[in-house]
Amino acid sequence: MKTSVITFSRNDGYKEKERFAIHLTALLETFDEVNYVDWNSPTHSFLYDVLDMIPKTGRLKHFVIPPSIHQMYSEQVPDLPKCFVPLAFNLALRRTDADWVVATTTDNIPPTKEELYALINSGDDNMFYTVSRREIDYDETLKNKDNLKEYREHLKQTTKPRHWPAKVTPNDDYSLINCCGDFQLASKKVWWDVKGFEENMVHNCFVDTNVQKKAVLGGYKLQAIFDTPLYHMSHQNILPQGGNTENLHKMAETKTPKYNDAFDWVDDFQTSYNDDDWGLGEIDIEFETI
């Protein structure tokens, strides 16, 4: 059995090298294949800034979405800045031959390899799983980055998972965990059948709910996992590039869930709009193995 994880960044968000290096190092410890997608880098991929901080395993596949393709696709998708999440995931999903695939984000420390395999072996390849994250302090994580094994054992005893409401909207019976950046796990068969994340889903805060709904409409069952530990490094001490504390607070306020057309999108969605190529699926994107 081969496991694969897909993670990504857009080159204009949180740019903290140590955080990214901890995330990638932990992924390389857990998965047989790590796919990192760097979106629309104006000069060079963020990965190059941390290469001397991560192990060289030959299992990291590095994709770059260049500005030329960003520009080409932006002519088709008017709200592209919010659309990068499903497109980045689908790009790598289409290029993995792993038996089980995870989609996650660059602030997470995944379960250990043993914990992940225990979950898969006790699971069902007709199920779509979402692992709830546990919030941890980034500064404390940074202090323990050279001994993640012991640190994880400490966190397992002291940090509880988040239990979020199951509904995004009154008519939504699909969302397992109303929190972006969790841990979406399914067999390759499930991902392929539902055609991954929705390419027309331009509101990134609900892509998790949306892909869960696609799984249900495809005949698969959902399950939230709280026992398998997934850790999310807090954003409290990290500012957006060129930002300040005041701007950070404003950003947090704007990300507070409020009723908008994205809520209607979740309720009204019935079937996949993705074509056979899943948006960027067959566009020629080179990758390097590190």
Side-chain angles (χ1 to χ4, degrees):
M1 179 174 64
K2 181 179 180 181
T3 61
S4 178
V5 63
I6 298 163
T7 187
F8 72 95
S9 72
R10 189 175 60 171
N11 212 26
D12 61 358
Y14 294 103
K15 291 298 153 193
E16 212 284 331
K17 296 179 184 179
E18 290 278 8
R19 175 192 299 272
F20 187 39
I22 291 171
H23 168 73
L24 287 179
T25 298
L27 294 183
L28 290 166
E29 291 177 355
T30 298
F31 292 93
D32 301 310
E33 175 186 85
V34 175
N35 298 273
Y36 166 62
V37 182
D38 191 270
W39 184 275
N40 193 32
S41 298
T43 55
H44 69 279
S45 170
F46 187 42
L47 178 65
Y48 296 135
D49 293 337
V50 301
L51 278 182
D52 60 344
M53 302 165 67
I54 63 174
K56 309 302 185 292
T57 64
R59 291 185 284 109
L60 173 59
K61 292 168 67 175
H62 175 214
F63 298 87
V64 175
I65 308 294
S68 58
I69 290 193
H70 177 91
Q71 177 62 34
M72 177 190 70
Y73 208 82
S74 66
E75 296 173 359
Q76 305 171 35
V77 182
D79 203 4
L80 185 63
K82 294 181 180 178
C83 187
F84 69 95
V85 177
L87 292 176
F89 279 140
N90 286 353
L91 171 75
L93 272 170
R94 291 280 291 177
R95 289 161 173 79
T96 182
D97 59 357
D99 304 291
W100 286 80
V101 185
V102 165
T104 192
T105 53
T106 56
D107 301 304
N108 287 335
I109 297 176
T112 65
K113 193 178 190 75
E114 293 76 18
E115 290 164 340
L116 178 66
Y117 271 71
L119 171 58
I120 292 173
N121 289 332
S122 65
D124 181 344
D125 64 2
N126 288 306
M127 189 80 72
F128 191 94
Y129 297 98
T130 297
V131 179
S132 176
R133 70 194 200 188
R134 308 179 184 201
E135 300 298 322
I136 59 175
D137 180 75
Y138 171 63
D139 289 332
E140 190 65 27
T141 305
L142 187 58
K143 295 176 185 176
N144 290 276
K145 66 181 178 64
D146 295 324
N147 200 337
L148 282 178
K149 184 176 181 179
E150 289 185 8
Y151 182 53
R152 277 171 161 162
E153 287 300 314
H154 166 72
L155 291 173
K156 192 186 303 185
Q157 304 302 319
T158 60
T159 310
K160 302 301 181 184
R162 297 176 74 159
H163 290 261
W164 283 65
K167 289 177 177 281
V168 171
T169 77
N171 298 321
D172 164 39
D173 293 319
Y174 304 95
S175 182
L176 298 180
I177 302 167
N178 180 11
C179 185
C180 296
D182 284 305
F183 196 81
Q184 311 284 311
L185 168 68
S187 66
K188 181 181 178 182
K189 173 183 68 175
V190 174
W191 285 115
W192 250 244
D193 199 27
V194 304
K195 295 183 179 179
F197 289 82
E198 190 55 48
E199 64 175 282
N200 289 343
M201 183 66 176
V202 298
H203 294 275
N204 59 23
C205 55
F206 295 114
V207 294
D208 291 351
T209 292
N210 175 255
V211 78
Q212 290 159 8
K213 187 169 185 177
K214 291 179 72 175
V216 170
L217 294 175
Y220 301 101
K221 295 181 180 180
L222 305 179
Q223 184 174 341
I225 301 295
F226 297 96
D227 294 335
T228 302
L230 167 72
Y231 303 107
H232 176 260
M233 293 176 279
S234 69
H235 292 302
Q236 298 305 314
N237 60 340
I238 301 297
L239 298 178
Q241 192 172 25
N244 54 45
T245 303
E246 182 179 354
N247 288 339
L248 181 63
H249 290 161
K250 288 180 179 178
M251 182 182 70
E253 290 174 2
T254 60
K255 290 196 173 187
T256 300
K258 298 177 181 177
Y259 192 87
N260 57 37
D261 59 346
F263 285 20
D264 289 331
W265 210 100
V266 171
D267 282 341
D268 295 340
F269 176 77
Q270 294 298 321
T271 187
S272 178
Y273 295 110
N274 285 6
D275 60 22
D276 290 338
D277 295 336
W278 305 8
L280 286 173
E282 295 301 322
I283 292 177
D284 186 20
I285 301 288
E286 296 183 357
F287 69 85
E288 60 182 324
T289 302
I290 296 173

